Amino acid sequence: MKHITERWKVSDSEELYGIRYWGHRYFNVSEKGEVTVKLKQGDELVDVSMWQIVEGIQFRGLSLPVLLRFRDILDARIALLNESFAKAIAEYEYPGEFRGVYPVKVNQQAEVIKEIIHAGARYHHGLEAGSKAELIATLGFMHDPEALIICNGYKDQEFIDLALTGSKMGLKVVIVIERPGEIDLVLDRARALDATPSIGVRIKLTTRSDGHWTESGGDKSIFGLTPVQVMEVVELLRQRDMLQNLELLHYHQGSQIANIRNIRTALTEATRYYAELVREGARMGYLDIGGGLAVDYDGSKTNYVSSKNYSLEEFCMDVVEVVQSILGESDIPVPTIVSESGRATVAYSSVLLFNVLDVKCIEHEGVPENLSDDVHEYLHNLREVYDNLSIKNVQESFNDALHYRDELHGLFIHGNISLREKALAERLFWHIIREVNNTSKRLKYIPKDLADLDKVLCDIYYANFSIFQSLPDAWAVDQLFPIMPIHRLDEEPRANAVLADITCDSDGKITNFIDLKDVNTSIRLHDLKEDEDYVLGAFLVGAYQETLGDLHNLFGDTHIVNIRLDDSGAIQFEHEIEGDSVADVLSYVEFDPKELVTNFRNLAESAVRNNLITPSERKTAMERYQDGLRGYTYYEAEEGIPLHATLASPRNSVAPTGGSNGNGNGGNGNG
Ligand SMILES: Cc1ncc(COP(=O)(O)O)c(C=O)c1O
């Protein structure tokens, strides 16, 4: 923490939360200490305050949590990918082209797909469908005959028929063979429908990569064909005189490939396959490198799973260079390079905003003042430890505090001290530990057990969201997302905190946070103010999170708002999608809201008959029940009152406005 005399600056927050490393300049911090997002106003890019966006959303009657989507960022990502490949192609004088396709599975929301098609039109950016439903959505909107529609995944007859119908109607639909048996079905259906199929093969690479999602690549991958199976497909096509229909080679290493070396190695292997298929007489033309282009979630620019040790521009250069270097010298024409980049296309464009409901501090109330003479002498000893603690005896004070706490616990177990004394001991103990932690920071060398105290001294910030619904990868695979307050960044955050969501599940928490060198086990946050919401943002959540989320504890979809600016710079809240109501989520699990109301009415009527409630109380009870069914599944605030002000118990750390501003007197017992 900063020394009291040094004033906390906005740049300190930028460093602390790493926004300048992961924000990619899409997200910055303003002089006022608010996170800003770069949006387009006409041809200009301007920084728009997220706090202002929150105010606008609340003014429109929506409560947090809200998922914000920024279509300007999505457009910028599509342009960056296509233009970076174009630059690499020009740089290496590569005599071929690039075609991007967006994998629908990464974010299937209609608004996202439509925006990608719109922004990608000038690059003929296509779509990848991994299932029948995704292909049906694709065929509904993607009508550019120059854009690719790649069909991956396991396919039944209906899927294949739809793909072939798309081809017959002039679209460039490529059916990728993922399983050995699929080729027979494709050829049979093509004959039956009198269609000319464009066929691709997905290969199982021997090269394995590191990372969370790399099981979809390598020898053990469940997808793709082995070299033996690829040759079987080639032979079958040769027998049917259809090698001209084999046009594309596809592989997918897995998502979030953090190390550029893995990308180069896999591509080298795939390019060799490509060359061999041409030599076998296949028409070819497309080399589809799948997904894997990573996002630097922690900003460390390393090959750590949450990061990547290359830039997007470098990725494009390397891809073009590898293909060129392998095929350039041969007589084999270079392919159109196809990338199915999903995560890197959509991750930046969504931000989840949620408010804090309450804070549970590790130590409660102030230090007990005068201990009465009749309490146990060990309590007096603890008090002495607290009073005499200094930089010279910090380790000894720590040891003594542990000793007396253990002793007092033993006394309590054997009935020798009261619960009141036990509570007093806990209060004193935690104040000592907090002081030990603060004081030890001034030591030149901090002993290991004192260095770890930060992890122990975490406050719990209860946040109004469900990790299972909104950040499922944080729960399922410990994926790190950058999280930070979107305001008050000109104030020093004094609490070390972890986040708990509002599901009643012990996994419903976030205890790992980004760090440039390591993974942090806590995040520094501000004390709550009485009259203002405290709003945090989880950034870079546009990829995979929305559809993977589930209804744990029946917390449903959050509200979604698309944000952009009009020509005058006013914020436009477009395509507001209301999140699930309680009735919605109940009907997902087969409850009939009408039946629920009828049953509750019967209960209320019988309560009136039995004189338990009055008829007018019955009316209120029914209104309450029906309002509840219509309501948001998350905590909702009364107009103008921050949620934590209605929920927090008085002893928790709601500081008066301005109380924590840089002078160390916040309500969290830091001094
Ligand atoms: C076949 C295929 N292509 C593309 C992708 C998208 O990968 P990424 O999000 O890493 O770009 C995936 C995702 O797992 C995939 O399975």
Side-chain angles (χ1 to χ4, degrees), residues 166-205:
S167 293
K168 279 190 83 161
M169 295 194 310
L171 300 177
K172 186 68 192 164
V173 187
V174 183
I175 303 176
V176 177
I177 306 299
E178 300 248 8
R179 267 184 317 115
E182 256 169 24
I183 184 70
D184 296 303
L185 190 56
V186 171
L187 298 184
D188 289 351
R189 295 311 302 159
R191 200 177 323 108
L193 300 183
D194 191 23
T196 312
S198 283
I199 298 172
V201 275
R202 175 168 177 171
I203 50 163
K204 244 185 221 202
L205 292 180

Side-chain angles (χ1 to χ4, degrees), residues 88-139:
I89 283 171
E91 178 96 9
Y92 285 102
E93 296 179 9
Y94 182 80
E97 291 189 351
F98 169 73
R99 279 281 185 279
V101 293
Y102 168 74
V104 174
K105 67 168 83 70
V106 182
N107 188 328
Q108 297 122 326
Q109 305 295 317
E111 287 307 323
V112 173
I113 302 295
K114 287 184 210 168
E115 189 55 35
I116 287 174
I117 293 175
H118 170 76
R122 63 195 161 122
Y123 307 107
H124 304 295
H125 204 95
L127 293 178
E128 182 256 9
S131 68
K132 214 164 18 186
E134 288 181 0
L135 179 60
I136 287 174
T138 299
L139 292 174

Side-chain angles (χ1 to χ4, degrees), residues 541-569:
V541 299
Y544 298 104
Q545 305 314 294
E546 284 182 55
T547 327
L548 284 180
D550 74 15
L551 286 175
H552 196 37
N553 277 133
L554 296 185
F555 288 104
D557 273 341
T558 63
H559 302 311
I560 303 176
V561 184
N562 286 265
I563 305 289
R564 62 170 205 93
L565 295 181
D566 68 13
D567 288 344
S568 72

Side-chain angles (χ1 to χ4, degrees), residues 14 27 33 40 47 60 78 82 134 140 154 244 246 309 322 349 381 390 395 400 440 469 537 597:
E14 286 175 327
F27 304 104
K40 271 166 89 174
D47 290 309
R60 296 162 71 83
I78 295 271
N82 282 280
E134 288 181 0
Y154 297 148
Q244 279 304 299
L246 182 54
N309 63 3
V322 169
S349 59
N381 295 352
S390 75
Q395 175 78 57
D400 288 351
S440 67
Q469 177 60 253
V597 172

